[in-house]
């Protein structure tokens, strides 16, 4: 458990008082998300549990579409709440999976619209059905886990979660440590633009080898791709008890399952190995708006 400053402790105490209410207003929900300290009761480094900053969660929601959503390793539901509030197309169903009962209890107050399941993502209950989208800010790195994903055999907890999600949903949006992503954009000078030039055109993303991603692709058929231009570096100092460099990654699980169904053709293999095509530069609107 981390030692809080006087200001943090005072705000956390106020958040605890708010959580005693039966129903919370929208302002109260935001206050709890920003000031309830997950480290006040738990040693977060052991479980890798660091909740998403609210501003980052709202930017993350830009990549979320309509339909059924499952939030794996949901914590107190920050991503889920942002997706509910910022998805103008409408979330038709929302399921949150969280192993820590204390976090889930807070989440049930913050996101009562969701169906909360207190349990391990490695032992999901049957009958959840098919989801349009899986989302997660999972624990990062070689965190102790109860089991393994169906296919991925590496140490990175986050990649095990993505592998599990590929059997549940058609698409995925995840927050990962930058060294697990196959690109660099966040926290780079000018959004990475000066460092990425191919055929005279910069696309804003620095493509770089990633051993975890290479292993994920080889074992699961999953390809992680860049987002629409969200620099998570704007929120690096707003995490509680840590300041990670992260990226928001997207993936198409329908395509991944098709790859797993059989070996790719020569043409498909060339597409998989090909770097992302350059796209026109765009201003960092989301960072500026935050």
């Amino acid at each position: 458990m981390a030692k809080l400053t006087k200001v943090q402790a005072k705000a956390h105490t106020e958040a605890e008082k708010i959580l005693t209410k039966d129903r919370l207003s929208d302002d109260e929900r935001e206050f709890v998300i920003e000031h309830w300290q997950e480290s006040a009761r738990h040693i977060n480094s052991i479980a890798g549990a660091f909740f998403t900053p609210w501003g980052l969660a709202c930017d993350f929601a830009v990549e979320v579409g309509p339909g059924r959503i499952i939030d794996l390793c949901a914590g107190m539901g920050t991503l889920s709440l942002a997706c509910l509030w910022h998805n103008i197309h409408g979330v038709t169903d929302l399921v949150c999976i969280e192993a820590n009962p204390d976090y889930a209890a807070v989440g049930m107050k913050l996101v009562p619209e969701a169906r909360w399941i207190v349990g391990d993502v490695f032992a999901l209950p049957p009958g959840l059905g098919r989801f349009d989208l899986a989302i997660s800010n999972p624990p990062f790195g070689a965190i102790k886990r109860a089991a393994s994903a169906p296919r991925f055999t590496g140490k990175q907890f986050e990649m095990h979660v993505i592998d599990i999600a590929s059997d549940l949903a058609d698409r995925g949006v995840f927050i990962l440590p930058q060294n697990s992503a196959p690109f660099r954009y966040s926290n780079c000078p000018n959004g990475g633009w000066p460092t990425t030039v191919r055929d005279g055109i910069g696309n804003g993303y620095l493509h770089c080898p990633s051993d975890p991603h290479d292993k994920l692709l080889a074992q699961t058929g999953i390809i992680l791709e860049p987002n629409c231009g969200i620099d998570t570096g704007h929120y690096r100092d707003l995490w509680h008890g840590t300041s990670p460099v992260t990226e928001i990654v997207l993936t198409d699980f329908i395509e991944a399952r098709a790859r797993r169904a059989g070996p790719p053709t020569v043409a498909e293999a060339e597409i998989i190995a090909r770097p992302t095509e350059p796209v026109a530069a765009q201003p960092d609107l989301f960072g500026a708006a935050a």
Side-chain angles (χ1 to χ4, degrees), residues 13-31:
T13 299
E14 181 61 28
E16 292 268 70
K17 290 180 181 178
I18 291 173
L19 288 169
T20 63
K21 298 182 179 182
D22 291 333
R23 295 193 59 170
L24 276 57
S25 68
D26 289 351
D27 288 342
E28 288 171 333
R29 293 203 258 187
E30 282 196 46
F31 185 91

Side-chain angles (χ1 to χ4, degrees), residues 22 26 40 43 61 97 100 109 116 118-119 129 151 158 163 186 203 233 239-240 265 268 275 278 283:
D22 291 333
D26 289 351
I43 303 175
I97 311 292
N100 187 309
K109 291 291 185 74
W116 282 84
V118 180
R151 290 155 292 265
E158 63 270 20
D163 187 13
S186 298
N203 69 353
W239 297 71
H240 294 170
T265 65
E268 289 172 336

Side-chain angles (χ1 to χ4, degrees), residues 136-161:
S136 184
N137 168 24
F140 298 164
I143 302 299
K144 184 178 179 181
R145 58 183 190 276
S148 295
R151 290 155 292 265
F152 185 73
T153 61
K155 296 180 179 180
Q156 293 79 12
F157 193 105
E158 63 270 20
M159 297 305 196
H160 285 269
V161 173

Side-chain angles (χ1 to χ4, degrees), residues 7-281:
V7 173
Q8 290 173 329
K10 182 178 180 180
H12 174 75
T13 299
E14 181 61 28
E16 292 268 70
K17 290 180 181 178
I18 291 173
L19 288 169
T20 63
K21 298 182 179 182
D22 291 333
R23 295 193 59 170
L24 276 57
S25 68
D26 289 351
D27 288 342
E28 288 171 333
R29 293 203 258 187
E30 282 196 46
F31 185 91
V32 171
I33 284 174
E34 293 179 350
H35 298 291
W36 192 82
Q37 296 282 340
E38 58 269 38
S39 61
R41 302 180 186 175
H42 302 276
I43 303 175
N44 289 352
S45 58
I46 294 178
F50 296 97
F51 297 158
T52 313
W54 178 241
L56 175 54
C58 293
D59 280 357
F60 177 98
V62 171
E63 291 290 359
V64 174
R68 298 192 74 217
I69 297 176
I70 185 167
D71 187 349
L72 301 170
C73 306
M76 62 176 178
T78 306
L79 288 182
S80 288
L81 186 61
C83 291
L84 280 173
W85 284 2
H86 293 269
N87 187 347
I88 61 174
H89 302 292
V91 176
T92 59
D93 187 29
L94 179 59
V95 176
C96 294
I97 311 292
E98 173 53 47
N100 187 309
D102 288 344
Y103 299 162
V106 175
M108 291 174 190
K109 291 291 185 74
L110 294 178
V111 198
E113 299 91 342
R115 176 159 64 102
W116 282 84
I117 298 175
V118 180
D120 199 318
V121 294
F122 294 96
L124 294 173
L128 290 175
R130 176 68 59 191
F131 293 87
D132 297 289
L133 184 73
I135 62 174
S136 184
N137 168 24
F140 298 164
I143 302 299
K144 184 178 179 181
R145 58 183 190 276
S148 295
R151 290 155 292 265
F152 185 73
T153 61
K155 296 180 179 180
Q156 293 79 12
F157 193 105
E158 63 270 20
M159 297 305 196
H160 285 269
V161 173
I162 292 175
D163 187 13
I164 291 170
S166 72
D167 288 331
L168 299 169
D170 292 339
R171 295 191 306 112
V173 185
F174 304 95
I175 296 175
L176 298 185
Q178 191 176 71
N179 59 9
S180 287
F183 61 87
R184 291 179 185 175
Y185 177 78
S186 298
N187 223 45
C188 295
N190 297 320
W193 171 258
T195 60
T196 307
V197 177
R198 184 169 61 250
D199 299 329
I201 301 175
N203 69 353
Y205 292 92
L206 175 62
H207 295 276
C208 52
S210 166
D211 290 340
H213 180 260
D214 289 347
K215 191 165 193 174
L216 181 74
L217 172 58
Q219 295 183 338
T220 71
I222 297 170
I223 297 176
L224 303 179
E225 299 178 325
N227 59 76
C228 62
I230 300 169
D231 188 343
T232 69
H234 295 300
Y235 308 101
R236 186 176 180 184
D237 296 328
L238 298 180
W239 297 71
H240 294 170
T242 188
S243 55
V245 179
T246 62
E247 298 287 3
I248 295 174
V249 303
L250 317 179
T251 187
D252 188 321
F253 289 137
I254 296 177
E255 293 181 356
R257 291 193 292 268
R259 294 186 194 104
R260 293 201 289 258
T265 65
V266 173
E268 289 172 336
E270 291 177 353
I271 292 173
I272 293 174
R274 187 184 306 157
T276 305
E277 291 298 320
V279 295

